[in-house]
């Protein structure tokens, strides 16, 4: 697939989170941002279909809806 | 849209030799037409668990979704295999729990490529080529070769024995019909690619 390049301006706090996530997931910044975009699109697609985004704790069986604004 | 083609090899059963094939990193219209004309028109002797699959519906459903990618294998002027992967799922093996992997949503070889089919061109190795493509995509994504999938019962032995994946058992959360979940670690992917399974 052909790729395009862009410059991303982030605050220091955002860059710190990006670095932490990259370290945790073992991904490069580019790979992590691509993953974030895919997840964002997947969530939007499901919400557009009328689905809800839920988190479930398997130990407590507690479910909570993530409010996506 | 840019489509990447790669040279791969399949085993021609009749000629008993390796033949050149082409791997596409996108399922094209002609692949879907092959599926609708040739695959559906072919009647294998044994019942196949995925014969109800409709690849056009599957490809349309993922169209434009960045988290999915499709692949096709061509050989002898026909589509020999199709696959859809998902790149936003995460691993379950303890050593890679929570880490991203390439999840194989659907993979299918043309029905004439099942063992024991005679009377037409038939190729061995389609599943292996597609699993290798999933592993390579995992490497390209930065996921170090990690892949996962739910297996139809007829394919359990292939993923466990031929691919060397770890069998994490029946997954009742998958669907109404529980399927076994298999996962491949970075090390297992390395062995798979090195041995050219």
């Amino acid at each position: 697939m052909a790729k395009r390049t862009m410059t991303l301006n982030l605050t220091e706090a955002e860059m710190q989170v990006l670095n932490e996530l990259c370290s945790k997931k073992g991904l490069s910044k580019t790979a992590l941002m691509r993953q974030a975009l895919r997840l964002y699109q997947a969530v939007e697609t499901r919400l557009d279909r009328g689905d809800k985004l839920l988190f479930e704790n398997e130990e407590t069986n507690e479910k909570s809806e993530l409010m996506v604004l | 849209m840019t489509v990447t083609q790669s040279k791969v090899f399949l085993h021609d059963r009749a000629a008993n030799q390796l033949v050149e094939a082409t791997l596409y990193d996108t399922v094209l219209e002609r692949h879907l037409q092959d599926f609708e004309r040739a695959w559906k028109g072919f009647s294998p002797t044994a019942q196949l668990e995925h014969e109800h699959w409709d690849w056009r519906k599957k490809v349309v459903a993922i169209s434009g979704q960045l988290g999915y990618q499709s692949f096709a294998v061509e050989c002898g002027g026909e589509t020999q295999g199709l696959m859809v992967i998902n790149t936003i799922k995460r691993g379950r093996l303890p050593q890679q729990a929570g880490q991203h992997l390439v999840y194989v949503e659907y993979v299918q070889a043309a029905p004439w490529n099942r063992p024991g089919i005679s009377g037409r061109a038939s190729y061995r190795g389609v599943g292996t080529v597609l699993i290798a493509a999933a592993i390579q995509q995992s490497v390209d994504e930065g996921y170090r070769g990690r892949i996962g999938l739910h297996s139809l019962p007829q394919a359990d032995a292939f993923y466990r024995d031929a691919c060397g994946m770890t069998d994490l058992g029946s997954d009742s959360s998958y669907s109404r019909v529980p399927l076994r979940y298999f996962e491949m670690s970075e090390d297992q992917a390395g062995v798979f690619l090195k041995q050219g399974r």
Side-chain angles (χ1 to χ4, degrees):
Chain A
M1 297 284 180
K3 292 186 171 63
R4 304 280 296 273
T5 302
M6 65 171 282
T7 302
L8 185 63
N9 293 312
L10 298 177
T11 64
E12 193 171 324
E14 289 164 343
M15 184 62 85
Q16 185 180 338
V17 170
L18 178 59
N19 282 326
E20 287 170 359
L21 286 170
C22 286
S23 176
K24 184 179 178 184
K25 295 296 172 190
L27 296 175
S28 66
K29 291 186 178 69
T30 298
L32 193 121
M33 293 308 295
R34 292 175 70 198
Q35 186 65 269
L37 188 57
R38 291 168 184 167
L39 284 167
Y40 195 170
Q41 186 198 37
V43 169
E44 280 298 303
T45 301
R46 299 295 293 264
L47 291 174
D48 287 347
R49 286 192 336 215
D51 294 347
K52 287 180 179 176
L53 184 57
L54 296 170
F55 283 95
E56 182 178 2
N57 186 316
E58 285 187 340
E59 290 180 4
T60 62
N61 272 337
E62 194 177 344
K63 290 182 183 176
S64 55
E65 181 183 351
L66 182 67
M67 298 299 292
V68 183
L69 302 176
Chain B
M1 181 178 63
T2 310
V3 179
T4 304
Q5 302 177 32
S6 310
K7 188 195 297 184
V8 293
F9 291 91
L10 299 176
H11 183 262
D12 183 329
R13 286 197 173 97
N16 193 26
Q17 64 181 21
L18 289 178
V19 292
E20 196 174 309
T22 307
L23 174 72
Y24 292 80
D25 69 349
T26 302
V27 170
L28 303 172
E29 175 59 28
R30 70 169 182 271
H31 300 136
L32 297 175
Q33 289 177 0
D34 273 356
F35 164 74
E36 288 165 345
R37 292 175 192 157
W39 291 31
K40 283 187 170 179
F42 186 82
S43 300
T45 50
Q47 187 86 2
L48 301 179
E49 291 167 330
H50 44 41
E51 65 183 4
H52 62 285
W53 285 4
D54 184 333
W55 279 95
R56 184 172 295 279
K57 281 186 180 173
K58 294 183 188 309
V59 169
V60 167
I62 64 164
S63 176
Q65 293 294 305
L66 298 174
Y68 294 89
Q69 190 173 345
S70 60
F71 292 84
V73 180
E74 272 183 19
C75 189
E78 290 182 303
T79 304
Q80 303 296 340
L82 297 167
M83 177 172 73
V84 168
I85 62 167
N86 178 331
T87 53
I88 58 178
K89 295 210 174 182
R90 299 175 183 219
R92 302 184 189 183
L93 279 172
Q95 69 267 34
Q96 59 192 33
Q99 297 298 312
H100 290 293
L101 51 68
V102 163
Y103 177 80
V104 179
E105 295 275 356
Y106 310 103
V107 60
Q108 184 178 7
W112 50 80
N113 291 323
R114 299 283 301 178
I117 301 292
S118 59
R120 76 176 325 283
S122 176
Y123 302 96
R124 187 162 53 85
V126 176
T128 303
V129 162
L130 289 169
I131 290 299
I135 293 170
Q136 187 57 53
Q137 189 64 33
S138 172
V139 171
D140 292 347
E141 296 286 350
Y143 305 166
R144 302 171 183 265
R146 297 185 293 263
I147 67 168
L149 55 85
H150 285 87
S151 169
L152 292 170
Q154 286 176 342
D156 284 351
F158 172 72
Y159 296 120
R160 186 171 43 237
D161 304 330
C163 297
M165 299 175 76
T166 300
D167 181 353
L168 281 87
S170 182
D171 182 3
S172 59
S173 67
Y174 175 69
S175 69
R176 284 173 297 174
V177 182
L179 298 177
R180 301 189 83 79
Y181 178 72
F182 290 84
E183 204 164 285
M184 183 178 278
S185 66
E186 178 182 353
D187 290 344
Q188 289 167 329
V191 170
F192 180 92
L193 294 177
K194 194 174 178 181
Q195 293 182 347
R197 298 190 191 206

